Amino acid sequence: MGRQNDINFLKAAGVLVSVIIVFASLIIYGLNDNRTPHYSPSKTAVGQEQGQGEQDNSSDESDMAVNSISELSLPELFSKVEKSVVQVANKEEAGITIGERLGSGFVYDKSGHIVTNYHVIAGGAAEGNVQITFLDGSTYNARLVGGDTFSDLAVLRLEGENIPEEKLIPLPIGDSTTLRVGEQVVAIGNPFGLSGSMTEGIISGLGRMLPSAERAEESDIIPSDLDSPTGFLIPDIIQTDAPINPGNSGGPLLNTQGEVIGINTAIFSTTGASAGVGFAIPSNTIKKVIPSLITTGNYQHPYLGIVGTDITPEIAEALGLPEARGFLVTDVSNGSPAQKAGIRGGTSLPTNIAGRGIAMGGDVILRIDENPVRKLDDVLTYLEREKKVGDTVQLTVLRNGGMESIDLTLGPRPTSLESQSQRPMGSLPPQENLPGPNQDQEQQQPPLADQLYNQCIEIAGKDICDFMFQR
């Protein structure tokens, strides 16, 4: 009997020990499991440090964290860039709220270089009459380092040896070639002299064209007759619906990471106020032009020296082309790269096509290197993005019913006076579309903006109309 009790006791003890071992194992497993870090999107988003082994297995979550950190809210974005955006004004206008030569700019580097539009400082900068004002009200004199009318860009440099280093916070320059229509953007500047103003919108369009600021008194309001420019063109322009007004010119257009993807340059308006159509010079043009302006004071744009018009359905029908694509050369500038390469202009008297007098018989440019050409924009955008003076391009042209390839070495774009002397008699400026059918009649009337300005004076008086129209 006693032996049986001993056996039963040992069995019970064994079961108890087994239960204890199993329970202890579960506790130890649980403790080890708690030591293994678990990652949630919220923890990853705030940048918590993770073990290397776990990072290798959670690359998707890491990518989400990077995107979350790089995307700034609008208040965060403004706080990040506000100290880098400045007001640009002539000295005599620095103390007034509204002025013709009042614009914006931003800090480019730690050396005190300020980037703005050329038309903002035209005239005053040459005489050393420019002042830069930061958001906190501190003001410094600045001198012109370099300017380029063809891209409407200029570089100023702050003068003085006691400029605090914390004032010079450069803005990063983004990549405008990756932009897509619909992306959110922010414009910061000094509309109507109201410093530190921010507006937001989206990218409404890409690859637009604007007339360059070849005239020193160029305005930041684009006239209503955009189809009839009167000089060289700026390609690859960004269009935005972010409200831009006079005084915003020269200020940055930013993405939601706080990178400069353009410089606010002009608005399309008949009243002088924002109509939801604003334009900005792309950041990749800034990357090419600004370093040259700093080192040499100028920038040489690659140049062909052709005059003509885009192929329309009417022109394509007249030429017997299967589709409306390409650029018809009607004239070639004297001594230009195009003339030296043997590009041919129109050989016949102007033909009336849809009310336009067009010299037919010239080359039709269909490709530049490996890039198809549907219109002049394609040529100019390719040259500005990818080429420089001295580079050779191959033009594929349609001539006398056959295809020919012509090598052309790009030259520097001439100034307005030089282009006048190179221009064939009676032709338009190089690389410019021909006028519309009613241009002669339109030129006999005042521009639409002037007509509206005069009507405004009759209704509201000169003072308020001068303000609205920036007269």
Side-chain angles (χ1 to χ4, degrees), residues 224-410:
S224 57
D225 56 341
L226 274 176
D227 291 332
S228 301
T230 57
F232 288 104
L233 301 173
I234 308 175
D236 216 15
I237 292 293
I238 301 167
Q239 180 186 332
T240 179
D241 71 346
I244 296 173
N245 289 288
N248 273 116
S249 286
L253 186 69
L254 303 146
N255 60 20
T256 52
Q257 289 80 42
E259 298 174 324
V260 177
I261 48 92
I263 291 184
N264 302 315
T265 297
I267 59 175
F268 179 77
S269 176
T270 58
T271 65
S274 174
V277 183
F279 302 101
I281 306 296
S283 59
N284 280 40
T285 299
I286 300 170
K287 290 179 180 179
K288 290 188 70 173
V289 175
I290 297 302
S292 179
L293 295 184
I294 292 175
T295 56
T296 68
N298 60 72
Y299 178 80
Q300 291 187 331
H301 292 263
Y303 168 72
L304 296 176
I306 55 176
V307 181
T309 184
D310 295 334
I311 297 291
T312 64
E314 295 80 9
I315 296 175
E317 182 180 358
L319 293 174
L321 301 178
E323 60 177 323
R325 69 180 183 91
F327 183 79
L328 172 64
V329 181
T330 58
D331 272 316
V332 177
S333 297
N334 296 325
S336 67
Q339 186 185 57
K340 295 174 182 178
I343 299 296
R344 297 179 184 177
T347 57
S348 62
L349 293 175
T351 302
N352 190 314
I353 298 178
R356 301 171 60 187
I358 299 175
M360 308 293 282
D363 292 335
V364 177
I365 300 175
L366 298 176
R367 300 183 72 87
I368 179 167
D369 289 338
E370 298 302 317
N371 303 282
V373 174
R374 300 197 69 87
K375 52 185 178 178
L376 179 62
D377 303 29
D378 299 326
V379 176
L380 297 183
T381 297
Y382 176 69
L383 293 180
E384 287 296 321
R385 281 188 181 182
E386 308 293 341
K387 295 299 178 179
K388 62 181 183 299
V389 174
D391 287 349
T392 298
V393 297
Q394 185 177 79
L395 299 179
T396 301
V397 303
L398 178 66
R399 177 184 292 175
N400 298 327
M403 304 289 285
E404 294 190 23
S405 296
I406 300 174
D407 291 333
L408 182 151
T409 300
L410 299 169

Side-chain angles (χ1 to χ4, degrees), residues 98-142:
I98 304 298
E100 263 182 54
R101 288 292 168 213
L102 194 67
S104 305
F106 64 89
V107 178
Y108 179 76
D109 58 26
K110 287 285 189 180
S111 299
H113 290 112
I114 305 294
V115 173
T116 186
N117 281 139
Y118 179 83
H119 76 260
V120 168
I121 53 86
E127 302 170 1
N129 292 331
V130 177
Q131 286 187 332
I132 302 298
T133 303
F134 287 82
L135 187 62
D136 63 1
S138 55
T139 301
Y140 302 91
N141 293 331

